[in-house]
Amino acid sequence: MTLPADSHVHSEWSWDTGGPASHAVGRMRSTCAQAVRIGLEAIYFTEHLDIPDTWRAGPEDLMPHQQGFLNSAGRVDFAPFDAAGYLGAIDRMRHEFPDLRIHTGVELGQPHLVGRRAAEIVDLDLIDRVLGSLHTLNLGDGHAEPHTLFREHDPAEVMDAYLAHVPVMVKGSDAFEVFTHIDYAVRMWPTRTAGPFDPRPFEEGFRMALRSIAEGGRALEMNTRRLWSWIPEWWADAGGKAVSFGSDAHTPDAVASNFPEATAMLEHFGFRPGSAAEELWVRSRFV
């Protein structure tokens, strides 16, 4: 079968890989080569569009190559997204890989809070796909990512707060088309102290969050880093109509990871592909 487009891919133009002047240089080209090698027809490079110096962290919250971004105030500070450099690189890749349909994209973090500042960095109307991400929360001491908050608060409190904020983000911004990795906080769940993550205690919160995304007319990303069957099941129950597929790859080898399994899972819940790899999968109303 034809795999859907990988709609969530990062390269050296994302700050968290190290940036375009780091060891990650050339990653976009290598990723395109890998996509061609595995038979992918289309790809979106959805680079991070985050605002520097807007959340706090500790060194343990960052990978070694990211720790230099911590400033003296303990906030994550990096060079803003280089839209012109990124768009130039996309154009070069389109010439180098004519058999791969290469699309622009951004992953806009906290769009309801930073929409105006993000629009000053890049004209979102020029971007093929805008993903909306909820990466940080403010539980009283300033914005921080879940792995920081899990050290400071009861894990269930953090999880409940994350899910409760999803409708706030959806209502507060129409800048994004797809809500990405709704399981973002689950990735960082402190298994060592809290045990394996069990979605059942948080089912009501997940269902509420998914309903808000569906009622807001957005698609939901099936993030394939981890395959949770309860996410597409609860998305369908919430009236969700459309999904995209995203590996959230930050290295070339991760492009389209777990896509065959993910597409089979989505088909089980009634979602069907369109006529092109780029099209969102839509759920049949008759299922």
Side-chain angles (χ1 to χ4, degrees):
M1 66 172 286
T2 299
L3 291 176
D6 193 336
S7 296
H8 189 163
V9 179
H10 298 276
S11 75
E12 68 265 31
W13 298 97
S14 285
W15 71 267
D16 63 345
T17 65
S22 74
H23 68 285
V25 66
R27 198 164 289 185
M28 180 180 281
R29 177 176 287 105
S30 298
T31 299
C32 289
Q34 173 67 2
V36 171
R37 190 176 300 117
I38 65 175
L40 208 62
E41 294 184 358
I43 192 170
Y44 290 78
F45 283 99
T46 51
E47 310 298 353
H48 282 296
L49 181 52
D50 293 319
I51 305 302
D53 196 27
T54 56
W55 75 94
R56 61 187 178 85
E60 65 269 48
D61 300 324
L62 301 173
M63 296 180 181
H65 69 272
Q66 299 167 347
Q67 291 176 1
F69 294 132
L70 274 181
N71 63 23
S72 59
R75 298 166 74 84
V76 184
D77 203 358
F78 45 85
F81 176 56
D82 180 359
Y86 160 75
L87 292 171
I90 289 286
D91 187 60
R92 290 192 296 274
M93 294 305 101
R94 286 170 172 167
H95 284 87
E96 285 191 38
F97 298 91
D99 295 329
L100 176 65
R101 299 193 295 275
I102 302 171
H103 298 281
T104 59
V106 292
E107 181 183 355
L108 177 53
Q110 291 66 249
H112 59 309
L113 300 178
V114 303
R116 180 185 59 79
R117 295 176 67 182
E120 293 171 353
I121 296 173
V122 61
D123 183 353
L124 295 178
D125 290 336
L126 300 178
I127 300 299
D128 296 325
R129 182 157 293 172
V130 179
L131 308 179
S133 293
L134 182 58
H135 287 138
T136 68
L137 297 171
N138 185 352
L139 296 186
D141 296 314
H143 277 266
E145 292 217 8
H147 44 197
T148 305
L149 297 173
F150 280 136
R151 292 200 311 272
E152 302 170 345
H153 300 270
D154 178 80
E157 177 189 347
V158 175
M159 199 71 226
D160 287 337
Y162 183 90
L163 294 171
H165 207 76
V166 170
V168 177
M169 176 176 139
V170 173
K171 186 176 181 179
S173 175
D174 59 3
F176 65 97
E177 172 188 6
V178 179
F179 191 101
T180 185
H181 50 46
I182 196 170
D183 64 339
Y184 187 71
V186 179
R187 293 182 185 178
M188 306 163 199
W189 180 259
T191 303
R192 196 166 48 175
T193 57
F197 181 76
D198 181 355
R200 289 171 295 182
F202 307 102
E203 181 174 348
E204 182 178 349
F206 270 105
R207 288 186 180 274
M208 175 200 64
L210 290 165
R211 280 196 304 273
S212 73
I213 298 168
E215 291 170 359
R218 317 303 168 90
L220 183 73
E221 176 189 271
M222 292 296 111
N223 192 282
T224 62
R225 275 199 183 186
R226 295 169 179 82
L227 299 181
W228 311 100
S229 62
W230 47 271
I231 290 181
E233 179 182 3
W234 294 350
W235 175 237
D237 290 346
K241 296 181 174 65
V243 299
S244 68
F245 293 83
S247 66
D248 204 355
H250 285 67
T251 55
D253 60 293
V255 170
S257 59
N258 299 318
F259 268 36
E261 297 85 352
T263 54
M265 185 170 67
L266 268 293
E267 285 180 335
H268 174 76
F269 291 107
F271 292 88
R272 300 291 182 263
S275 58
E278 290 90 339
E279 293 183 22
L280 300 173
W281 281 37
V282 177
R283 188 168 188 266
S284 168
R285 60 188 295 183
F286 303 109
V287 173

